[in-house]
Amino acid sequence: MPFVERDASGAVIALFSQPGPGHEEEVPAGHPDLTPVTGPSEFARLDADLIRVIEDVVDVLIDRGLLRLTDLPLDAQRKLLARKGARARLRQGLNLIGPNDVI
């Protein structure tokens, strides 16, 4: 069972495997207070956010010449290029105003 740290309002803000200062309260697995912290939708959102951060870091490293796309494994290259292409298509699809249009 995890040990939790709570904020001033009583919401769980951190989970620990062992008790310690500020996180002595043990909460059983499946407890409703743990759902927002460990729920699948929360992890999915965090994963999506982290993926975008990693893409941005790779772009910065490539732009600065510290990394070449070809330095990465072939599968990683394909995935990065596929996501980059999908984002570009999405951006173009949402561009409702052309360069010469006036608002």
Side-chain angles (χ1 to χ4, degrees):
M1 285 193 272
F3 294 85
V4 297
E5 179 180 348
R6 296 182 183 269
D7 64 12
S9 69
V12 173
I13 57 170
L15 298 176
F16 299 88
S17 60
Q18 301 293 322
H23 55 273
E24 298 88 12
E25 179 187 355
E26 190 173 13
V27 178
H31 189 280
D33 284 353
L34 299 181
T35 304
V37 175
T38 59
S41 63
E42 178 71 6
F43 278 120
R45 184 188 63 74
L46 292 171
D47 286 349
D49 291 347
L50 182 59
I51 289 167
R52 184 57 198 257
V53 168
I54 291 170
E55 286 179 84
D56 291 344
V57 168
V58 168
D59 287 343
V60 167
L61 292 173
I62 289 172
D63 290 346
R64 293 186 180 176
L66 300 171
L67 176 74
R68 292 182 307 251
L69 185 62
T70 56
D71 291 340
L72 300 172
L74 193 55
D75 282 344
Q77 292 177 39
R78 287 185 188 128
K79 290 173 184 175
L80 283 167
L81 291 173
R83 284 188 58 85
K84 200 177 279 279
R87 273 201 321 270
R89 285 189 302 279
L90 179 64
R91 207 171 313 128
Q92 288 172 347
L94 295 177
N95 188 6
L96 303 176
I97 299 175
N100 298 325
D101 291 341
V102 177
I103 297 181

